[in-house]
Amino acid sequence: ARAEAAVVNIFSLKDKTAVVLGGAGVLGAAMARALADAGADIAVASRSLDRNRAFAAELTSAGHKAIGYSADTTSVDGLKALRDRVLPDFGRVDVLVNCVGGNRPDATIIETDAFFSMDPEAIRSVIDLNLFGGAILPCQVFGQAMAESGAGGSIINVSSMSAIRPLTRIIGYSAAKAAVNSFTQWLAVHLARGGRADIRVNALAPGFFLTEQNRFLLTDEKTGDLSARGKTIVEHTPMGRFGDPDDLAGATVWLASDASKFVTGIVVPVDGGFSAFSGV
């Protein structure tokens, strides 16, 4: 019984604070709930204050401490202002989850020749959101708070299957997520070799989950049935289904907790086998 308790305890996040950026979204909310259920207090933030407050109220009603904030994660000043609100409210930051990201229709290629006339600003904005707003800038601002506290912490970036195998049509998103993988590994090494081995940096690479950002590509808007692209994805996922947001819970808690205290610089696929399947 003692050994069992010890194993369970290394996954505990009691007395820890997790900042979950993009935590009111489909995947971010599942990750935030998992962290809260493991004992963490939750600061949830993105651009929509109302949405974040509503989600924080949901967590609070379930017995957790949670506060919702508004922040533009593509702005260093916005992130610093957020940090300066979170620290007095919670006293510390132990876990940072970067779940801000997404695509936009005008950065999605439908016809092959459309690439040649695509607005570069659309591509640039997707890269800005996913790479800078979804990884680099939050790691700078909240990573500094972790370093200054002396208590270390765990940073979890959110990557994508598109980082491993660039998917057709989503040029900016694929490029940005590949860069998130590279940045995750770079920062993990940079911190560990620079005397900050107590700050670990890893990423989760979700497989295919239906979200607000990809629903227009994976389902038929009128019928709700799978699109041809959606069917192809399911056929190439050995488990034969889209992921459920709660499928991210275990890996999130593992990377956030002492259960992974010697793990840094990795990207963990949570994908039903998609990345392992050649298609034959």
Side-chain angles (χ1 to χ4, degrees):
R2 188 182 310 168
E4 181 180 348
V7 170
V8 171
N9 286 339
I10 64 172
F11 288 92
S12 174
L13 296 172
K14 189 176 183 296
D15 299 324
K16 304 288 188 181
T17 295
V19 174
V20 186
L21 302 180
V26 173
L27 302 187
M31 297 172 78
R33 287 190 193 96
L35 296 171
D37 288 343
D41 297 330
I42 306 295
V44 58
S46 64
R47 293 191 182 189
S48 175
L49 179 59
D50 290 344
R51 190 176 185 185
N52 292 311
R53 282 180 170 171
F55 178 61
E58 177 189 325
L59 293 178
T60 300
S61 68
H64 307 296
K65 178 179 178 179
I67 301 176
Y69 304 87
S70 175
D72 176 4
T73 65
T74 64
S75 162
V76 171
D77 290 339
L79 284 164
K80 287 180 177 179
L82 173 63
R83 179 195 61 196
D84 293 343
R85 294 195 300 271
V86 168
L87 286 175
D89 287 342
F90 290 89
R92 57 192 292 162
V93 174
D94 303 285
V95 178
L96 171 65
V97 177
N98 290 318
C99 202
V100 168
N103 198 21
R104 46 188 277 182
D106 59 351
T108 303
I109 296 172
I110 303 302
E111 302 296 334
T112 301
D113 288 348
F115 166 72
F116 302 118
S117 58
M118 178 173 279
D119 181 2
E121 289 305 315
I123 302 172
R124 185 175 285 115
S125 72
V126 171
I127 293 174
D128 186 44
L129 174 64
N130 289 278
L131 177 57
F132 287 91
I136 293 176
L137 302 186
C139 286
Q140 283 187 306
V141 172
F142 285 97
Q144 182 180 23
M146 290 177 180
E148 291 178 351
S149 75
S154 173
I155 295 172
I156 304 172
N157 293 323
V158 176
S159 180
S160 165
M161 285 297 100
S162 200
I164 301 168
R165 295 181 180 177
L167 304 182
T168 59
R169 301 185 183 179
I170 48 177
I171 173 179
Y173 185 81
S174 295
K177 289 301 190 180
V180 167
N181 280 14
S182 178
F183 170 69
T184 296
Q185 294 177 314
W186 178 87
L187 184 59
V189 172
H190 174 75
L191 291 173
R193 290 184 64 84
R196 297 291 183 185
D198 56 345
I199 303 175
R200 299 180 295 105
V201 189
N202 296 290
L204 290 179
F208 292 90
F209 297 71
L210 284 177
T211 67
E212 295 94 333
Q213 288 84 11
N214 66 17
R215 193 174 298 274
F216 76 100
L217 280 173
L218 302 184
T219 62
D220 185 288
E221 187 176 353
K222 294 180 180 177
T223 67
D225 295 334
L226 289 180
S227 65
R229 186 180 181 88
K231 290 178 181 177
T232 299
I233 287 169
V234 171
E235 289 168 357
H236 283 75
T237 300
M239 288 190 173
R241 64 175 177 88
F242 289 127
D244 183 280
D246 288 341
D247 292 333
L248 295 171
T252 300
V253 172
W254 174 61
L255 288 179
S257 70
D258 284 348
S260 61
K261 65 182 180 181
F262 195 54
V263 177
T264 196
I266 68 167
V267 180
V268 181
V270 184
D271 65 350
F274 182 93
S275 59
F277 185 39
S278 68
V280 295

